[in-house]
Structure formats: structure tokens, C-alpha cells
Amino acid sequence: MATLKAVRGTRDLLPPETALWNRIEAAARRVFARYNFGEIRTPIFEDTGLFARGVGEETDIVSKEMFTWEDRARAASEKPQSLTLRPENTAGVVRAYIEHKLGESGQLQKLYYIGPQFRRERPQKGRYRQFWQIGAEVIGPPSSGSESPLRDAEVLEMLATLLDEMGIAGWTLELNSVGSAADRARYNDTLRAALAPVVGKMCVDCQRRAVTNPLRVLDCKVPEDQPIIATLPVIADSLDDDSKNHFAAVKAALDAAGVTYHLNPRLVRGLDYYTRTTFEFTHGGLGAQNAILGGGRYDGLSEAIGGPKAPGIGFAMGLDRLVLTLQAAEADQSSAPPTVAKLDAYVAPLGEGLNAAALQLARELRRAGLSVELGDGSFRLKKSFEAADRTARKIVILGEDELASGILTVKDFATGTQTKVPRGELAEILKS
Ligand code: ATP
Ligand code: MG
């Protein structure tokens, strides 16, 4: 029989690597709490229409990367429905914001999520079909201050702090403003005119985009097109005064906080509902997949999916890429494999008749907060010692005599010393 394997583009995450994932997630939760973000968990599949409207039909995500299926009705009362594994989480969060009327509190909502996303892409390093994102959204009615440039700056400052606390060094913040919907319409006209004489020399995708959505030409990754793209007009020149002032205020707040950024007038992040501030954090250690996170303002998104006016700003970071970045940095620092933390103790019963008593002793120690591995009485003493030395700092031997007297034999592998310890003091001694 052919052996079954994880599906192309998906992977198993195993210990000890998962410890690194947990460290990153814990740092994120810690930082989010300090900035008054609460966790939201939305379903991993949604009505396909949510993404068609909330991400945009024109995007790569919706036009070619979604896992979509027709979900058949199970009962006469149900209708068949097109469902999709979420390719991103902002649309789901905004749907939940609308569905639970979170805007009616009048308060700004600060929500974060950590979870898997799904895109049918060509798998390669840093690009998977199931991958993880850590993201956050700040959204609310205009009266809650959700449009304020201070919110943009706060999110960017938080990201700088978050990456620093995760130990990601050497990132670059790429920053731009794509203006309001009206600014973008004006810019699209300018671009269309500028593209007309040169688009014939560009890739087929750009030829199509030049007609449907010229802004997306700036997203093109084809190397031969880059010199042409470099000559195109920039969006900054199409912004109206409101948009210019908003962007200036974001930059002034970042300057005051000491967060450095690089202005990138070509950064447009194609989605239709992005407005004003857009950004990406990149890292040199990732090769072609150099974006560790992306985000921006989406003042029209809630209305686009049938909700009230609810300006917002958010981001999503690729957890898989954070892990790759940290692993590469670790590998640079030393060629030795990362050391795995050892347990406090290994309990070794001398004979199968002592297994039950050993479980009871391990229970006592674990309840006292110690990390303990439990051996098996069928092991010879030599095998117990070898297993213990691999996993724990100390071995506790439990034979008939120890059980009867309540005096246990403890060996410390680091010092090689063997001591007799009364059971009542064991947990304390093992902790030290
Ligand atoms: P890219 O240009 O790399 O395709 P994107 O613009 O599609 O990125 P976003 O939709 O902005 O990415 O998602 C935010 C982040 O999620 C990215 O910066 C990246 O770190 C991560 N990400 C996106 N797609 C994948 C994937 N297929 N595998 C792993 N991480 C991903
Ligand atoms: Mg992509």
C-alpha cells in the first residue's frame, strides 16, 4: 500500500521546533496585552462571498489561491453553499465585528488572532499552502477615533517592539500611503496614461492589469518589468490634502517615537479596500520570500461587506517566516545544535512491581511543579540511567527499600554525586 503523507504544501511541526513557535506566540500575546488587544478566534472556513468581497475578486488570493468547495445540503432545510478555507483573517474579523455589532459600544476595538491560513500557492521555502499568521486589527466607528493617524503610528510602533522582543533583528519597515478611494481613482487614470506607450513591452499580467486595475502593475515581480515600473509616476503626487496631512501625521508620530522607516512609493498592496497607510516589514535573511508581515488601513472594508462605516488598520505576520528568520540567526551564531532544556527529574522504578508506586511519586513531584519523566520497572538499571541522562538533570531511584523507608536515592548528572533524600524534602531538593 502506498504510504500516506502530509498533503503538498502542508507540514507537521514537531518538538523541539514547536517550542520556538510557542515562544514567538507567547511574546506576541504578552505584547498585545500591554497594548490593550484582546484575542478573537474566528472559524477557519467562511462563506466564499466574504473573501470575494472582503479581499477583492481581482487579487491573486481570490482569483487563484483559495481552497473552495461546494458544501452540499444535509437536510431539506439546508441550502448548498460555497465555502472557503480562510486565506487571511481580516475579512473574518470584520465580519465578526459587524455580526456582533461591536461598533455599537462606541469603543475602539483592538483585536488580535493567531491561527492557520490556507492558500493554494506553489510551495517553496517560506511559502506553504497551510501557514500561520499572527495579526491584529484596530477598528471602530469614526467617533471612536479609528481614523486617527495616531492609531496607525501606534500599530507600527507596537510591531517594532514586537519584532524586537521576538529577537528578530535587522528588519526594515517599508511605508507608503495609497490615499483615499478618490485619490486612487485619480492615480489609476494617471498610471493608465503613463502605461499606454510602454505596456506592450511588459508581461501579459501587466498588460491585463493596465486595463483592469493599473495600480496592481506596481505589484509585478517580473524582473524585466522593473526598469519600466521605476519610471512610472508615484501615488504621492496624486494624494489630496487630507490624505497628505494624514500621512504626515503618521510619519511625525513615528519620528517622535524613534521608529525608523523607509518610504517606498511603489508599495501598494493591491487590495481594493486598502486606504491611506500601507506597510510591510521585510527581512534580508529570507531570500525571495522576504516579507515577514504586511498591513495597512482599510477604511472602506466594513461597508464593502455590508456593515456600518468602520475605519480600521491592521496587519498580518507570517509565523512560518518568523521561525525561519530566528532559526537562520541561531544557525549563524553557533554550529552546535540548539540545546534542549532538560527535565528536573527522571523517576526510575526498580522492577515492574514498583510501577504503580513510581507513578504516585511522579504525581507528587509534578503536582509540586516539577517536570518529570517516568521510567518503567521492566528496564534494567543501566538502561534507566541512560534514558535519564538524556532527558533529565537528576534520577530518582525507587526500589523496595526506598519505598519502605521513605528515603530515596538521587543522582545529580552534572556533579555525579549521589545522595539520600527523605521523600518529604524531595521536591525542594530537586528544584534546587
Ligand atoms: P507575498 O508577497 O510573500 O506572497 P502577501 O502579500 O501574499 O505576501 P499577505 O497577504 O500580506 O502576504 O500576508 C501577510 C504575511 O503572511 C506575509 O508577509 C507573509 O509573511 C505571510 N504569508 C503570506 N502567504 C504565505 C504563505 N503562502 N506561506 C507562508 N507565509 C505566508
Ligand atoms: Mg502572496
Side-chain angles (χ1 to χ4, degrees):
M1 214 191 333
T3 49
L4 294 170
K5 292 194 167 154
V7 172
R8 182 170 145 81
T10 72
R11 53 208 186 115
D12 301 306
L13 305 170
L14 307 172
E17 188 186 312
T18 37
L20 179 55
W21 286 69
N22 282 323
R23 273 212 304 284
I24 297 174
E25 291 172 21
R29 290 179 195 280
R30 229 174 27 237
V31 171
F32 286 139
R34 297 211 299 264
Y35 286 75
N36 193 28
F37 281 77
E39 183 178 4
I40 181 167
R41 301 189 189 195
T42 66
I44 63 163
F45 58 89
E46 300 261 6
D47 191 309
T48 303
L50 174 67
F51 304 115
R53 285 155 68 192
V55 179
E57 305 263 17
E58 260 283 323
T59 59
D60 283 356
I61 293 179
V62 173
S63 65
K64 50 190 187 209
E65 296 174 358
M66 296 203 305
F67 287 97
T68 297
W69 70 101
E70 203 54 41
D71 202 53
R72 64 182 197 281
R74 282 199 52 186
S77 58
E78 289 180 0
K79 283 205 204 96
Q81 195 180 8
S82 177
L83 300 177
T84 293
L85 290 180
R86 64 183 185 199
E88 57 91 81
N89 219 334
T90 302
V93 171
V94 177
R95 178 204 44 74
Y97 171 92
I98 298 166
E99 188 167 334
H100 302 286
K101 302 186 168 59
L102 299 183
E104 287 183 6
S105 70
Q107 303 292 309
L108 200 60
Q109 303 294 309
K110 296 171 111 178
L111 302 165
Y112 80 87
Y113 59 83
I114 299 178
Q117 318 294 335
F118 306 85
R119 296 183 194 175
R120 187 187 273 112
E121 303 201 66
R122 192 170 69 76
Q124 52 197 293
K125 189 174 179 210
R127 194 175 290 287
Y128 311 98
R129 291 184 168 180
Q130 173 170 345
F131 60 100
W132 271 257
Q133 283 184 337
I134 300 178
E137 317 292 347
V138 181
I139 181 170
S143 60
S144 67
S146 56
E147 275 172 306
S148 167
L150 178 61
R151 303 276 71 116
D152 308 42
E154 186 188 30
V155 163
L156 290 165
E157 185 279 318
M158 175 174 77
L159 280 167
T161 298
L162 186 53
L163 292 174
D164 289 345
E165 290 205 13
M166 286 173 176
I168 308 265
W171 45 263
T172 307
L173 162 54
E174 306 268 341
L175 187 63
N176 193 23
S177 172
V178 295
S180 64
D183 296 335
R184 265 206 320 284
R186 231 182 355 263
Y187 180 56
N188 264 328
D189 290 342
T190 310
L191 264 187
R192 213 173 263 124
L195 279 166
V198 290
V199 74
K201 288 177 256 166
M202 301 183 79
C203 71
V204 285
D205 280 338
C206 282
Q207 302 196 9
R208 182 177 45 80
R209 292 174 186 138
V211 181
T212 57
N213 191 353
L215 195 74
R216 291 195 38 82
V217 167
L218 303 187
D219 255 357
C220 175
K221 303 265 156 61
V222 176
E224 292 75 22
D225 287 359
Q226 300 311 311
I228 299 177
I229 292 171
T231 65
L232 296 172
V234 295
I235 197 162
D237 296 331
S238 296
L239 301 188
D240 68 12
D241 283 345
D242 280 353
S243 295
K244 275 186 191 149
N245 292 338
H246 193 277
F247 195 37
V250 174
K251 289 184 286 185
L254 289 176
D255 291 340
V259 176
T260 52
Y261 51 87
H262 171 242
L263 292 177
N264 179 351
R266 314 273 164 200
L267 183 72
V268 292
R269 303 190 45 74
L271 310 201
D272 290 351
Y273 305 109
Y274 271 121
T275 48
R276 296 190 165 165
T277 313
T278 51
F279 55 87
E280 249 172 42
F281 282 70
T282 57
H283 194 279
L286 280 166
Q289 271 58 252
N290 70 345
I292 43 182
L293 70 92
R297 198 166 253 295
Y298 44 80
D299 293 344
L301 177 54
S302 171
E303 287 150 295
I305 59 175
K309 188 167 168 56
I313 179 162
F315 65 85
M317 52 209 290
L319 191 41
D320 307 72
R321 293 187 193 175
L322 291 173
V323 169
L324 284 170
T325 307
L326 288 175
Q327 284 172 334
E330 220 166 77
D332 272 357
Q333 271 162 23
S334 75
S335 50
T339 48
V340 181
K342 288 206 164 181
L343 302 174
D344 294 317
Y346 183 102
V347 173
L350 298 183
E352 285 176 77
L354 287 152
N355 273 356
L359 177 65
Q360 199 199 341
L361 178 61
R363 173 174 156 93
E364 270 170 41
L365 299 174
R366 286 164 171 163
R367 288 200 158 208
L370 296 160
S371 55
V372 174
E373 183 53 284
L374 180 57
D376 191 289
S378 68
F379 288 8
R380 320 251 329 232
L381 194 55
K382 183 164 179 288
K383 183 170 171 185
S384 288
F385 264 95
E386 282 165 4
D389 196 14
R390 269 198 307 275
T391 51
R393 291 185 290 112
K394 290 171 184 153
I395 185 169
V396 180
I397 293 157
L398 184 66
E400 292 289 357
D401 290 350
E402 283 84 358
L403 186 61
S405 65
I407 306 288
L408 294 140
T409 306
V410 177
K411 181 174 176 185
D412 184 327
F413 291 112
T415 59
T417 50
Q418 197 155 310
T419 43
K420 300 273 183 198
V421 180
R423 187 161 180 157
E425 292 165 28
L426 186 59
E428 274 315 306
I429 299 274
L430 291 174
K431 267 181 203 163
S432 62

